[in-house]
Amino acid sequence: MKTIKEYWLMIKKTHGDKLLLGFVIFYFVDCWIIMQCDSSLDNYGDALWMGFSVATTIGLGDYTVTTPLARFFTILLGVYGCVMEAYIPGLIASYYLQNLSKRRDAIVRKHLKDLRNLNGMSQQEKRNLSLSIRKENSR
């Protein structure tokens, strides 16, 4: 649960919450417009299903649009879906790398005095320092 809260804070910091909300609104409106522009979609549920397969780039092929205007709005949905699919993994990777960097910096700060005196240490002291750092890094 802590991780989810941290992800959400990171999403808010990067204004991803607005991007996500904008995508959800665009998705529902765009699917409605596509349904209105193309008679091959019988109902709104079919339009949402087709929109889902386009936005997630799954491309099931259950439904296809045939009019130029519906194709245009389908392309917009596909592009926006790709942006969202790139944003989420990028955010997760950024979060992971940021945590690794924080952990590394904390370990270095904790052992800075010993690391500065590395040349004056005995082999046993170096081994003990190495074990201590590895133990803290594995947490």
Side-chain angles (χ1 to χ4, degrees), residues 81-132:
C82 287
V83 168
M84 292 306 297
E85 287 180 21
Y87 175 76
I88 300 298
L91 184 67
I92 291 169
S94 175
Y95 171 78
Y96 177 74
L97 292 173
Q98 184 180 13
N99 277 349
L100 285 179
S101 179
K102 283 181 184 177
R103 191 172 3 163
R104 183 200 63 224
D105 292 348
I107 291 170
V108 168
R109 275 193 305 276
K110 182 177 179 181
H111 296 288
L112 189 58
K113 181 181 172 188
D114 292 332
L115 291 170
R116 285 185 176 151
N117 189 31
L118 203 56
N119 291 335
M121 291 179 139
S122 70
Q123 286 299 102
Q124 186 59 40
E125 289 172 323
K126 288 178 184 177
R127 272 191 228 106
N128 290 342
L129 178 60
S130 175
L131 289 173
S132 173

Side-chain angles (χ1 to χ4, degrees), residues 34 38 40-41 50 63-67 70-72 74:
I34 291 169
D38 200 303
S40 65
L41 299 170
M50 190 275 311
Y63 300 99
T64 55
V65 291
T66 55
T67 64
R71 286 180 179 174
F72 173 75
T74 302

